[in-house]
Amino acid sequence: MKKGIFALSLVLVLIAITGCGKKTYQPQAINEDVDVCVICNMQVKDDAFATQIVTKEGKSLKFDDIGCMNEWKSKNGTSEIGMAYVRDYNDKEWIEYGKAAYVYDASIRTPMAYGLISFKDQKSAEQFIQEQGVGQLLSSEELANHTWEQSNNMMDMHSDGEGHDHSHTHDENMSEDKSGH
């Protein structure tokens, strides 16, 4: 009996020690009924454009466009960010911001007209560029120097008068890609 209690105590101590390692942050599912972008207050769709920051305290901040997430980071800094996530354009899988590959082109329609989409790897991003005939490949490091301008042409096409894009769809020439987007 004493050996069993000792073994159980040892297991609990080991679990406690390993639990004190690096904290992990997980993205939360998008709930279209209640989730709104922290920056523009638009509905966050459960789609390839949704992004998310999980703070060190575990709070999830959701955005409808990666440009809105960048705006939040510019205003608030990055010291309280536990992890930032983007979605793979093809399968909507969550990816760590720093591990994703990005494609930018002003003609790519995104919810807030930043023209930037994310992919789980460079190969997928390059394939998109080849299939669509547009786009510049960027890494997360290169996004630090990105201009983050909204395309006025894209904003005007589906604007509510206040510059908010309500379409959440892609340009017609973007809708023919083989991923169904």
Side-chain angles (χ1 to χ4, degrees):
M1 183 72 170
K2 288 183 181 181
K3 287 181 183 181
I5 292 173
F6 176 75
L8 180 60
S9 297
L10 184 59
V11 168
L12 291 174
V13 168
L14 289 173
I15 290 172
I17 290 171
T18 58
C20 294
K22 185 177 179 184
K23 188 169 183 179
T24 60
Y25 303 94
Q26 297 297 319
Q28 294 179 2
I30 300 296
N31 181 342
E32 292 183 355
D33 293 333
V34 297
D35 288 334
V36 294
C37 179
V38 173
I39 293 295
C40 69
N41 293 315
M42 299 292 291
Q43 177 187 26
V44 178
K45 295 280 195 177
D46 189 20
D47 62 13
F49 305 110
T51 66
Q52 186 170 164
I53 289 173
V54 180
T55 66
K56 290 180 179 176
E57 289 80 36
K59 182 178 179 183
S60 175
L61 307 172
K62 297 173 183 170
F63 307 90
D64 66 337
D65 190 302
I66 191 171
C68 289
M69 182 170 73
N70 180 70
E71 187 175 334
W72 186 93
K73 288 160 83 175
S74 295
K75 290 179 178 178
N76 298 284
T78 58
S79 64
E80 294 304 311
I81 296 175
M83 186 61 67
Y85 293 96
V86 294
R87 285 273 189 65
D88 178 70
Y89 181 77
N90 293 320
D91 65 14
K92 298 190 315 182
E93 184 178 315
W94 288 110
I95 315 157
E96 290 180 20
Y97 176 87
K99 293 181 179 179
Y102 299 89
V103 172
Y104 168 75
D105 192 87
S107 70
I108 298 173
R109 190 174 300 172
T110 65
M112 295 307 293
Y114 284 97
L116 191 69
I117 54 178
S118 48
F119 294 87
K120 62 182 150 200
D121 55 42
Q122 186 173 331
K123 181 181 177 187
S124 298
E126 289 170 343
Q127 183 176 356
F128 175 88
I129 292 168
Q130 183 180 15
E131 288 174 0
Q132 298 302 320
V134 298
Q136 174 187 0
L137 181 65
L138 299 168
S139 68
S140 61
E141 293 83 16
E142 291 169 317
L143 289 181
N145 298 318
H146 184 63
T147 59
W148 293 102
E149 294 176 5
Q150 291 174 291
S151 172
N152 289 331
N153 291 338
M154 293 296 168
M155 291 299 286
D156 293 340
M157 292 175 77
H158 295 283
S159 176
D160 65 1
E162 296 177 24
H164 295 133
D165 179 1
H166 290 285
S167 66
H168 288 265
T169 61
H170 308 285
D171 203 356
E172 258 85 79
N173 67 343
M174 294 293 138
S175 65
E176 295 179 17
D177 80 3
K178 293 179 179 146
S179 67
H181 293 138

